[in-house]
Amino acid sequence: TSDAASLLKNIPGVSLYGAGGVSSLPSIHGLADDRLRIKVDGADLIASCPNHMNSPLSYLDPSQVATLQVYAGVTPVSFGGDSIGGTIVAVTAAPEFAAPGQDPLLKGQIGAFYRSNNNARGGNLSVTYATEMLNITYNGATAKADNYTAGDDFKTTTATGRPGHTLPLDEVGSTSYKTNNHALNLALKKDNHLFEARFSFQDVPYEGFPNQRMDMLDNTAHRINLHYLGEFDWGSLDARTYRETVTHFMNFGDDKQFWYGNAPGMPMHTESKNTGGAAKASIRLTGQDLLRVGGEYQRYRLDDRWPASGSGMMMAPDEFLNINNGQRDRTTLFAEWESRINPAWMTQLGARYERVKMDANPVHGYSALYAMDANAFNAEDRKKTDHNWDMTALARYTASTTQDIEFGFSRKVRSPNLYERFAWSHTGMAMLMMNFAGDGNGYVGDVHLKPEKVHTVSATFDWHAADRNWAFKATPYYSYVTDYIDANRCGSGMGMMAACGGTVNNSGGSKFVYLQFANQSARLYGIDLSGHMPLAQTDGRGEFSLSGLLNYTNGKNRDTGDALYNIMPLNLKLSLSHSLGGWASNAELLLVKDKGDVSAVRNEIKTPGYSLVNLRTSRTWGKTRLDLGIDNVFDHLYRMPLGGAYVGQGSTMSGTATPWGISVPGMGRSLYTGLSYAF
């Protein structure tokens, strides 16, 4: 895979929002995107784009991932904060050092892959030089892909808005991409102290988005991450500081077109600066009690500017300031007490305080046509300070060598992001540029939004063999959210160019609608089931085992009775595995129920149920590994329940030219191979 988020697809409770080929958005129990805290090597990364194209995990190539930890439901406060859905912690490989008295260590890995459906190809290289005290590691990866094809024709037109450019009826427009990632890590170790300096660079020349009206035509990120870890008699100290700069550019890719008068496109530039630091001490109070205390700070600055294009008053003569010097600063303190009362019981209590300060400078549109909305926004008090409290109470009981029970309660709070509060224009064109959801609709913010607050109860029942040869887990959960940031269809009379009035917001015309973010209340509940068991083990024929995963989530808006948007329907995954010598093989069956309970306010598209079969095998010889596989073996046409609306080709800014009711289909049959060699 080229998408690091897809590594989470076998985790209970996790599903993926469709986006670009390297930028899918993980969802935990129906809560996604900024509702999750995502840390990459300890840094809190933020999507700096009105369509969230540069999602946090897109900055990490899958070949660079060492571990991914998912905290779903009840999350320890030491890993929580500014989120209501859970936390994902991505970590690259820890530095390795030469053994005492041994020669310097020189090692690495090189790999390449190919996927047939979209002609995807790429490679990765890792090289390490290390002594007893010094480690220097380089990681590089590149990937490139064309548009993919669905299992069958899914649309009725081949034409796009650009003359002479057509797509076959089974080709999913705006799904090509190219990405390059580089990282240099320097580490020093002295006794029980480790110092790291990591320098990362990403260049994405282009990435298409089939459920967005624009494409990402450049994304460049530079990051420096400094880390200290020390072990002491009393415990450990973990400290970090980081700085990330992002320059992001959107316009229409090859499969899309926009012509308004003599405007050749709609260029959009976003720049952000993300600076942060954190320190956490783990203090051993007694042999049974551990205290974690820490603090964090994050300073985030965002400019989202759209240069003038063409002539006339719609997109000229001035620059459109969507977010002007947006500011979002977080200051955090937390404490967490973990105690082992006896060998059978472990408890954890934690509290976390966050102050979130937000502001933005005055704005203006392309011309006087936008003055009414801009003046109304500029007259608002845009300085907002939220005081957020998180609390967690968790207990784990080991009933026997074959049964564990974990249960807990948490309160978590998330403040709105800059776009939810400060996107200001009610113009249809500007609103269509504001969309994290991929539903084809247009959105406008609300400066008066309150932070979301969720109360969650959850339990995990874990039955297993003493040696974990077989296991079965069940995790029911329930969450109640106050001030949930959903959306209302906005009314008319909100500016000279207001798109909110008219038949389109009554489901007429294109059936794409215009919405304003709004605080409401919601509830979510569901259950995750997972397990594995051996089937047979015979001499000469290897070992056979079976594993399964079932996820169910139900989400409702308690104010309107509407379904919450992008809730993954009931799904089941069964996997038959076989291993023999250096061979490891797997046959996977995925069953997904039809999606009929959808968000009416968004005109969310229903999707039929489907089943997929995937086959894969790998062979390892010493330091060489070969991977082979076939995804979607029977080339089935299916619609992704979280894929969003298809606006991947044509004149995407015109509601009449963009057909409503087509959801983004998944990839048809694809054969893949990968080869890696460690040295």
Side-chain angles (χ1 to χ4, degrees), residues 368-390:
L369 292 176
Y370 301 83
M372 185 179 295
D373 285 342
N375 291 340
F377 176 81
N378 293 337
E380 292 279 7
D381 180 8
R382 299 180 301 279
K383 291 185 177 181
K384 302 294 179 183
T385 301
D386 301 324
H387 301 278
N388 302 334
W389 284 92
D390 288 9

Side-chain angles (χ1 to χ4, degrees), residues 272-331:
S272 69
K273 297 178 176 64
N274 181 13
T275 306
K280 177 174 69 175
S282 298
I283 304 168
R284 291 187 291 270
L285 301 177
T286 67
Q288 295 77 38
D289 297 279
L290 180 68
L291 177 66
R292 299 183 185 96
V293 294
E296 299 174 8
Y297 176 74
Q298 183 179 43
R299 182 181 188 271
Y300 182 66
R301 296 294 180 266
L302 176 74
D303 284 295
D304 193 18
R305 303 168 182 269
W306 310 347
S309 182
S311 60
M313 299 186 71
M314 181 61 74
M315 296 181 61
D318 298 323
E319 183 179 49
F320 188 103
L321 302 183
N322 189 39
I323 303 289
N324 184 18
N325 189 29
Q327 304 167 36
R328 193 176 192 273
D329 299 337
R330 297 171 47 230
T331 306

Side-chain angles (χ1 to χ4, degrees), residues 235-550:
S236 65
L237 176 64
D238 193 327
R240 184 182 304 274
T241 183
Y242 57 89
R243 167 80 168 182
E244 179 194 55
T245 60
V246 174
T247 58
H248 173 75
F249 173 63
M250 290 194 302
N251 210 328
F252 302 96
D254 290 341
D255 300 332
K256 296 170 182 170
Q257 187 214 21
F258 174 72
W259 288 94
Y260 182 85
N262 64 345
M266 189 177 178
M268 302 171 64
H269 292 274
T270 305
E271 296 182 358
S272 69
K273 297 178 176 64
N274 181 13
T275 306
K280 177 174 69 175
S282 298
I283 304 168
R284 291 187 291 270
L285 301 177
T286 67
Q288 295 77 38
D289 297 279
L290 180 68
L291 177 66
R292 299 183 185 96
V293 294
E296 299 174 8
Y297 176 74
Q298 183 179 43
R299 182 181 188 271
Y300 182 66
R301 296 294 180 266
L302 176 74
D303 284 295
D304 193 18
R305 303 168 182 269
W306 310 347
S309 182
S311 60
M313 299 186 71
M314 181 61 74
M315 296 181 61
D318 298 323
E319 183 179 49
F320 188 103
L321 302 183
N322 189 39
I323 303 289
N324 184 18
N325 189 29
Q327 304 167 36
R328 193 176 192 273
D329 299 337
R330 297 171 47 230
T331 306
T332 298
L333 293 172
F334 67 84
E336 185 174 86
W337 173 37
E338 184 175 304
S339 177
R340 293 195 172 273
I341 302 172
N342 55 50
W345 280 97
M346 186 279 289
T347 61
Q348 187 182 93
L349 297 173
R352 183 184 186 98
Y353 167 75
E354 294 213 359
R355 185 186 67 180
V356 182
K357 297 179 66 176
M358 298 175 63
D359 198 1
N361 288 0
V363 298
H364 61 73
Y366 291 113
S367 67
L369 292 176
Y370 301 83
M372 185 179 295
D373 285 342
N375 291 340
F377 176 81
N378 293 337
E380 292 279 7
D381 180 8
R382 299 180 301 279
K383 291 185 177 181
K384 302 294 179 183
T385 301
D386 301 324
H387 301 278
N388 302 334
W389 284 92
D390 288 9
M391 289 173 284
T392 294
L394 181 71
R396 183 180 298 120
Y397 175 59
T398 303
S400 67
T401 58
T402 61
Q403 186 176 356
D404 301 307
I405 304 171
E406 183 178 290
F407 51 93
F409 166 83
S410 68
R411 179 188 191 268
K412 294 185 287 186
V413 185
R414 177 190 80 98
S415 290
N417 63 41
L418 289 174
Y419 289 104
E420 287 168 330
R421 267 188 171 154
F422 296 143
W424 56 272
S425 178
H426 295 85
T427 317
M429 182 173 60
M431 293 178 72
L432 291 174
M433 295 299 96
M434 274 292 312
N435 189 311
F436 329 133
D439 57 7
N441 301 316
Y443 288 82
V444 67
D446 183 352
V447 72
H448 301 293
L449 285 177
K450 301 175 183 178
E452 297 179 314
K453 308 165 191 68
V454 64
H455 296 81
T456 297
V457 290
S458 176
T460 296
F461 303 91
D462 183 0
W463 297 272
H464 53 83
D467 60 357
R468 293 278 176 178
N469 190 38
W470 63 266
F472 176 76
K473 282 187 179 183
T475 304
Y477 57 88
Y478 179 90
S479 294
Y480 180 87
V481 191
T482 57
D483 294 316
Y484 181 83
I485 300 176
D486 209 325
N488 291 324
R489 294 190 186 179
C490 51
S492 59
M494 305 180 81
M496 182 179 294
M497 300 296 296
C500 301
T503 58
V504 68
N505 255 23
N506 295 315
S507 298
S510 70
K511 292 191 177 179
F512 290 118
V513 295
Y514 296 98
L515 302 155
Q516 183 167 29
F517 294 117
N519 286 123
Q520 295 169 346
S521 64
R523 63 105 182 104
L524 301 102
Y525 65 82
I527 190 169
D528 305 326
L529 302 176
S530 62
H532 67 270
M533 61 180 292
L535 294 178
Q537 180 175 357
T538 59
D539 293 336
R541 295 186 179 181
E543 299 180 11
F544 293 85
S545 61
L546 180 69
S547 62
L549 176 65
L550 181 144

Side-chain angles (χ1 to χ4, degrees), residues 213 432 504 509-512 514 651-660:
R213 298 174 185 271
L432 291 174
V504 68
S510 70
K511 292 191 177 179
F512 290 118
Y514 296 98
S651 183
T652 62
M653 293 299 295
S654 170
T656 56
T658 305
W660 180 86

